[in-house]
Amino acid sequence: MLDIIEMRRDLHQHPELGFTEFRTASKVVETLQALGYEVIYGQDAIDGPSRRGLPSEAVLEAAYERALAHDANPDIVKAMKGGYTGVVGILRGQQPGRTLAFRFDMDALPITESTDQEHMPQAGGFISQFVGNMHACAHDGHTTIGLGVAEALTKLDFHGTIKLIFQPAEEGVRGAYAMVEKGMLDDVDYLYCAHLGCDVPTGQVHGGTRGYLATTKLAVHFHGVASHAGADPEKGRNALLGAATALLNIHALPRFSSGDTRINVGLLEGGTAANIIAEHARMIVETRSESEETNAELEQRVRRIVEHSAGMHELTYEIEVTGAAIPITCDVELVELANASAREVEGVHTVPDEYAYSTGSEDASYMIRRVQERGGKATYMIIGASNPAPHHHPRFDIEEDSLRIGVEVFSGIAKRMLSDHAVPVSVLPSSKAGIED
């Protein structure tokens, strides 16, 4: 039997950034295979050209070698080389029927974990061994819940098919789209996604979420001409000046009446020395809006500003989309099923009818959209996990009892939906007092 606390702590010690989750994905494949799942991974699970924000070859290779040095299965990870770290586990029931999928993300963040003695991973001896990387958003918990669910479902007599989708590179909203483009969601009738924490305490579960924003992440490169800043400044073409011009005008964009918007230039860098006209500059930009259409318009305005800023300073430029997400609409029938399952789990004391609320962004949105476009239903849940610090903070941690709750909530959903006496989702009520759209 899996020890989910031990599993989570092992994953916490070995945090891997998006598309470099070689060790993590290797452990997922090993566990699923040992449980009797059909497993799809490597290039069979993720579309290479659709990956966004892929690290450099040098970064991928270094992460690959590090995974091997930390007991990743070499026979498994060789199929993932180059950043193909998606995994799908498939379990088939006694008879054909619905296909129910659960999605779990695996990646960590480029954050140096706190070494304060009151920080539980430090006190408990399972702090990150990969300095500069940290599980500061509970994805180690998500992966662990997925594996706990995998084990629990092997004991369930059911009709239909269960798919467990382990996604790379959620941070930066990069990895889901490539798994969608590979067709991993095309046969799914019902999809449940979830996040631990999000300011919801342990013991509280929300079957649906609202507020997630559409977003586009852009990497912009400006190319100019270097020259001596004192002797021949007019012979140069200042890439940093072009980028600075773009930054100021991007942040001057107006708000929209068609929906709340956010915009940010999160990075601006360029140049090499005080006496050299900057030949190259790079900026990282994000747009967000509650409206997919408004976000697209905001992105186009950013692109025009970049174009004209480069033109003013006689520069060339490139723009790369490094991540994106769209809004999420939860299907109320699945929300109600999730809430019903949660109410039967020991340790769950609060299951509000209201949706949880977040103005972040989630690339599971692409998986949800694909399922809904093909006539299926989906939802995005929040499973409470009390933590001592906010997400993406060096002292972030989760209360570990949330792992058991997550496993039991998901397992209960599967039992309700796929057992031979399951109520068809189509006949469930389509609305409920107190639930917001």
Side-chain angles (χ1 to χ4, degrees):
M1 183 174 179
L2 288 177
D3 183 331
I4 58 174
I5 302 299
E6 181 181 339
M7 173 65 72
R8 181 258 168 165
R9 293 184 177 190
D10 175 74
L11 295 175
H12 191 88
Q13 289 182 80
H14 302 91
E16 297 170 299
L17 305 184
F19 296 122
T20 73
E21 307 96 330
F22 299 111
R23 182 188 186 276
T24 305
S26 165
K27 297 297 181 184
V28 170
V29 172
E30 281 186 317
T31 303
L32 293 175
Q33 288 178 339
L35 291 169
Y37 280 72
E38 173 188 340
V39 186
I40 302 171
Y41 62 97
Q43 295 190 42
D44 292 332
I46 192 163
D47 182 60
S50 300
R51 292 172 298 173
R52 292 163 164 165
L54 187 69
S56 68
E57 290 185 10
V59 169
L60 289 169
E61 183 62 25
Y64 179 81
E65 294 298 330
R66 183 184 64 184
L68 289 174
H70 286 263
D71 76 350
N73 186 316
D75 293 330
I76 293 173
V77 294
K78 67 181 178 183
M80 303 174 182
K81 196 165 188 178
Y84 292 91
T85 45
V87 180
V88 178
I90 300 173
L91 189 65
R92 303 187 191 279
Q94 299 167 335
Q95 297 181 31
R98 308 162 177 159
T99 296
L100 170 64
F102 298 118
R103 172 267 196 179
F104 311 96
D105 43 12
M106 301 184 290
D107 57 322
L109 286 155
I111 294 174
T112 299
E113 187 164 11
S114 172
T115 56
D116 293 345
Q117 282 303 316
E118 61 268 26
H119 180 51
M120 180 57 190
Q122 170 70 14
F126 59 97
I127 194 171
S128 170
Q129 295 182 20
F130 299 165
V131 177
N133 294 356
M134 177 192 173
H135 272 297
C137 200
H139 296 189
D140 51 341
H142 299 170
T143 304
T144 300
I145 289 173
L147 295 177
V149 170
E151 181 180 49
L153 295 183
T154 60
K155 302 163 187 168
L156 176 67
D157 291 329
F158 67 95
H159 299 167
T161 301
I162 293 168
K163 295 184 82 169
L164 304 180
I165 299 170
F166 292 85
Q167 178 207 314
E170 187 282 325
E171 300 295 350
V173 287
R174 296 177 290 153
Y177 182 75
M179 296 191 81
V180 170
E181 290 300 292
K182 192 64 176 180
M184 293 295 101
L185 282 297
D186 288 354
D187 63 343
V188 172
D189 297 304
Y190 307 115
L191 172 66
Y192 282 87
C193 310
H195 207 298
L196 288 169
C198 301
D199 299 322
V200 176
T202 303
Q204 182 170 319
V205 175
H206 293 262
T209 309
R210 63 185 181 88
Y212 278 117
L213 302 175
T215 186
T216 309
K217 319 296 186 187
L218 303 170
V220 184
H221 295 268
F222 294 88
H223 303 283
V225 176
S227 67
H228 195 288
D232 300 297
E234 77 284 359
K235 294 180 181 178
R237 299 291 179 266
N238 195 323
L240 190 54
L241 187 57
T245 300
L247 181 151
L248 292 173
N249 283 279
I250 286 169
H251 275 280
L253 282 168
R255 304 304 90 190
F256 282 68
S257 61
S258 54
D260 286 346
T261 58
R262 310 280 193 277
I263 196 155
N264 189 51
V265 177
L267 180 147
L268 174 63
E269 61 183 10
T272 55
N275 63 345
I276 302 173
I277 300 296
E279 184 177 19
H280 174 259
R282 178 172 74 106
M283 64 191 305
I284 304 295
V285 188
E286 71 165 19
T287 63
R288 296 186 199 242
S289 177
E290 61 183 359
S291 161
E292 188 175 353
E293 294 73 23
T294 299
N295 184 68
E297 171 63 20
L298 195 58
E299 178 189 339
Q300 288 307 310
R301 294 193 183 198
V302 169
R303 288 176 177 271
R304 285 195 292 273
I305 287 171
V306 169
E307 175 188 358
H308 292 295
S309 297
M312 285 176 62
H313 299 281
E314 300 182 71
L315 310 171
T316 60
Y317 70 93
E318 299 121 25
I319 300 176
E320 176 192 3
V321 175
T322 61
I326 53 181
I328 290 174
T329 300
C330 297
D331 288 297
V332 67
E333 298 92 340
L334 297 202
V335 174
E336 293 176 5
L337 277 166
N339 287 343
S341 174
R343 290 187 179 105
E344 295 182 350
V345 173
E346 181 182 354
V348 174
H349 53 70
T350 308
V351 185
D353 288 338
E354 294 80 13
Y355 287 13
Y357 183 78
S358 173
T359 53
S361 299
E362 243 291 357
D363 68 346
S365 54
Y366 285 111
M367 296 185 176
I368 289 171
R369 173 73 61 85
R370 177 59 64 93
V371 170
Q372 291 171 334
E373 284 177 342
R374 299 176 70 85
K377 297 180 185 294
T379 190
Y380 193 98
M381 304 165 55
I382 301 297
I383 298 172
S386 302
N387 40 64
H391 291 258
H392 296 208
H393 187 282
R395 292 187 63 245
F396 178 83
D397 189 30
I398 57 171
E399 190 171 339
E400 292 179 322
D401 194 47
S402 63
L403 304 176
R404 176 192 57 80
I405 290 173
V407 170
E408 293 184 15
V409 169
F410 277 124
S411 301
I413 289 169
K415 184 175 182 180
R416 285 174 171 271
M417 297 192 72
L418 298 182
S419 64
D420 56 8
H421 57 275
V423 177
V425 171
S426 60
V427 305
L428 291 174
S430 60
S431 64
K432 184 173 182 179
I435 290 186
E436 300 181 27
D437 209 16

